[in-house]
Amino acid sequence: MKAIVSNALPRLLAELCVLFVLYLVGGQLVAWLDWPIPAGVMGMALLLVLFAVGAVKPGTLQRGAGWLMAQMLLFFIPALMSLLDYGSLMRSEGWRILLVIALSTLVVMVVTALTVELVCRWSLRHEA
């Protein structure tokens, strides 16, 4: 048990470092190219490219990505708490805000599904 724990922490830290470096490189690319997209999105695009060319296997970063996903609630609590300060806005414009959130979530899901489908078809064509 002790060996598992002692081996898990360095691996987790290494995976988190790789993800952080991708974020930093994405931020640098965004700055160099002067593109209006977040550094995290560029970092994820870089990670997708690394997955597509086979330089990184998805399972390699599974522990670090899983840990970050488990901590997502910490990132969203401050945003949700700020809604308490804008109760009147939510009462008057809440339905519009919810509509935008619902539509943008739907668009993200559709684009993600299409991207995964295209990448899967592309990888199957290049394997054959």
Side-chain angles (χ1 to χ4, degrees):
M1 173 81 174
K2 214 176 216 185
I4 293 172
V5 172
S6 64
N7 189 25
L9 184 60
R11 181 178 171 111
L12 174 66
L13 291 175
E15 291 178 18
L16 290 173
C17 285
V18 169
L19 292 170
F20 185 64
V21 166
L22 285 169
Y23 168 77
L24 292 176
V25 171
Q28 200 60 42
L29 276 172
V30 167
W32 286 337
L33 298 172
D34 196 29
W35 285 356
I37 61 174
V41 172
M42 181 62 82
M44 286 192 303
L46 291 172
L47 184 58
L48 179 64
V49 169
L50 291 174
F51 286 159
V53 299
V56 176
K57 301 291 181 209
T60 307
L61 301 173
Q62 188 173 3
R63 186 170 289 160
W67 184 82
L68 286 174
M69 291 297 290
Q71 307 310 316
M72 288 287 280
L73 185 59
L74 293 175
F75 298 116
F76 288 110
I77 285 178
L80 293 176
M81 294 306 290
S82 68
L83 287 177
L84 296 176
D85 295 334
Y86 298 101
S88 61
L89 175 67
M90 290 305 293
R91 282 188 290 280
S92 64
E93 302 294 330
W95 71 272
R96 290 183 181 144
I97 294 170
L98 290 175
L99 180 65
V100 168
I101 290 171
L103 289 175
S104 62
T105 300
L106 181 65
V107 168
V108 167
M109 291 170 68
V110 168
V111 169
T112 302
L114 291 173
T115 303
V116 168
E117 181 69 23
L118 289 173
V119 169
C120 286
R121 287 182 184 184
W122 178 80
S123 65
L124 287 174
R125 256 188 275 131
H126 286 286
E127 284 179 4

